[in-house]
Amino acid sequence: MTEPGTFVGCPCALFARSTEWAALAAARWLGRDDQDAAEEAAEGALLAGLAELPISGTVVIGPEAGDLLPVGSEVGAGGERVDLAVDPLEGRGVVARGGNGAMSMIAVGPPGSLIRLPDMYMRRMAVGPRAKGRIDLTRPMAENVHAIADAYNRNTNDITALVLDRPRHHDLIEEIRAAGARIKLMQDGDVTASISAAIRGTNDHLAVGIGGTRQAILSAAALRCLGGELQAQLWPTTRAEIDAAAEHGVDDVNRVFSSDDLAPGEVIVVATGVSNGDLLRGVRFLADSARTHSLVMCMRCNWVRFTESIHFFARDRKEEVRLLG
């Protein structure tokens, strides 16, 4: 008998098609200094990909200013009911500047598996499996850095923290420096940073800072698949945001949410690289095809899969399929 809150037949591998289409569309705008056009192209392509999947999906977390995939919209060709958190273009500013690390991303789960929160800031901290259970968002930054260093059996100056390069993080950056850790400043990519901190080989150990609720929920879903941990706390800046939190059932804005709170249930997370980064390679356009690199994570299947796909633009092909070199 199927457990409540699980997929009847896990379609995790199918969801990569939608993020691949979004990445292909967004990559055409790399370096063209038009982040709105890049995000609109990605959103339209993601919607087209989702429309063909055998699901009856509801978008519970959507793009900040998206018109095609607003919160509450229904997607899919019909089938099992699922909730979706979508980010057609994580790092729209990166794409506009022609930078590294942009990707298209979705998280999917049975109804109720992705918490609904108002669009506002959240303070968050993310680590991988080695440091899980060692962090505490309410403790001073230095204590967390030392706890993470102990988890990895390293010195604090061997630990790398990922922080978005924003004025609001000035004091945080000084705290991390005082603790002795290294810092990698990122122009964009909240979710990318959280995933990178949970995957060995990136030499990143901690992602910390203030970002949006959408990014926090997507990060939580990814960290659950990777066995890591995310802690997050609402960071309201106006009375209206406090009221909005209360309307979503959060009466205590000081509450610290765990990964399980933000993304309960068995979730699927899929990301496809738009531009090259430490985690995923970006789209590579060839004469009559393009190559994409994706990350598929599924709690039910208990796997993490990196996939390489070749997309042909015509049936009459001029190029061979190439092995990676």
Side-chain angles (χ1 to χ4, degrees):
M1 180 179 294
T2 303
E3 293 290 333
T6 62
F7 290 105
V8 173
C10 191
C12 54
L14 296 178
F15 286 103
R17 180 167 60 180
S18 57
T19 57
E20 287 169 352
W21 286 10
L24 288 166
R28 295 287 190 186
W29 292 91
L30 187 68
R32 294 173 62 181
D33 195 28
D34 194 339
Q35 61 184 15
D36 292 334
E39 184 160 41
E40 183 179 349
E43 190 176 356
L46 184 65
L47 174 59
L50 291 172
E52 296 191 2
L53 294 179
I55 59 170
S56 295
T58 301
V59 176
V60 296
I61 301 290
E64 186 175 350
D67 296 326
L68 300 177
L69 286 167
V71 173
S73 58
E74 300 290 325
V75 297
E80 188 165 0
R81 296 219 58 86
V82 296
D83 284 352
L84 300 101
V86 302
D87 195 349
L89 184 54
E90 159 86 346
R92 44 183 266 158
V94 168
V95 171
R97 295 188 299 270
N100 294 331
M103 64 184 186
S104 173
M105 185 176 182
I106 61 172
V108 189
S113 58
L114 299 166
I115 193 172
R116 302 185 188 217
L117 290 174
D119 188 16
M120 57 189 291
Y121 280 134
M122 288 193 95
R123 188 166 71 104
R124 59 98 178 97
M125 182 183 298
V127 293
R130 288 282 293 273
K132 184 176 181 179
R134 305 288 191 98
I135 61 171
D136 187 339
L137 192 61
T138 63
R139 283 167 29 199
M141 196 66 238
E143 292 185 22
N144 283 294
V145 169
H146 283 284
I148 294 167
D150 288 342
Y152 283 93
N153 196 26
R154 298 188 182 189
N155 297 320
T156 54
N157 57 9
D158 294 330
I159 299 301
T160 302
L162 298 171
V163 186
L164 283 182
D165 189 5
R166 300 288 189 272
R168 63 179 179 267
H169 290 149
H170 177 270
D171 292 344
L172 172 64
I173 290 169
E174 292 304 315
E175 287 184 57
I176 297 171
R177 286 172 176 163
R182 306 190 307 163
I183 297 174
K184 186 187 294 184
L185 292 176
M186 302 182 66
Q187 294 302 312
D188 288 286
D190 252 3
V191 186
T192 307
S194 296
I195 296 174
S196 185
I199 293 181
R200 293 295 297 273
T202 62
N203 202 30
D204 301 323
H205 310 93
L206 164 68
V208 62
I210 299 171
T213 51
R214 171 168 50 110
Q215 287 79 12
I217 292 169
L218 283 164
S219 297
L223 267 291
R224 289 202 65 216
C225 293
L226 292 166
E229 179 181 9
L230 180 137
Q231 295 181 9
Q233 188 179 50
L234 290 175
W235 197 259
T237 56
T238 65
R239 181 68 212 184
E241 289 185 341
I242 296 176
D243 293 340
E247 291 174 3
H248 283 74
V250 185
D251 296 321
D252 180 10
V253 294
N254 294 316
R255 173 187 173 184
V256 176
F257 292 86
S258 68
S259 307
D260 291 343
D261 294 328
L262 295 173
E266 294 185 332
V267 291
I268 298 166
V269 180
V270 183
T272 301
V274 176
S275 60
N276 285 330
D278 293 337
L279 185 66
L280 292 168
R281 290 185 294 273
V283 176
R284 286 158 291 170
F285 290 104
L286 306 172
D288 60 359
S289 64
R291 201 161 197 149
T292 58
H293 188 213
S294 300
L295 171 61
V296 181
M297 300 176 279
C298 179
M299 288 193 66
R300 185 183 182 197
C301 296
N302 199 26
W303 71 22
V304 175
R305 173 186 290 182
F306 286 90
T307 64
E308 190 93 14
S309 300
I310 301 173
H311 308 262
F312 290 101
F313 303 138
R315 290 189 179 277
D316 184 16
R317 303 168 186 172
K318 300 178 181 178
E319 287 189 290
E320 312 93 338
V321 173
R322 303 181 186 181
L323 292 175
L324 288 175

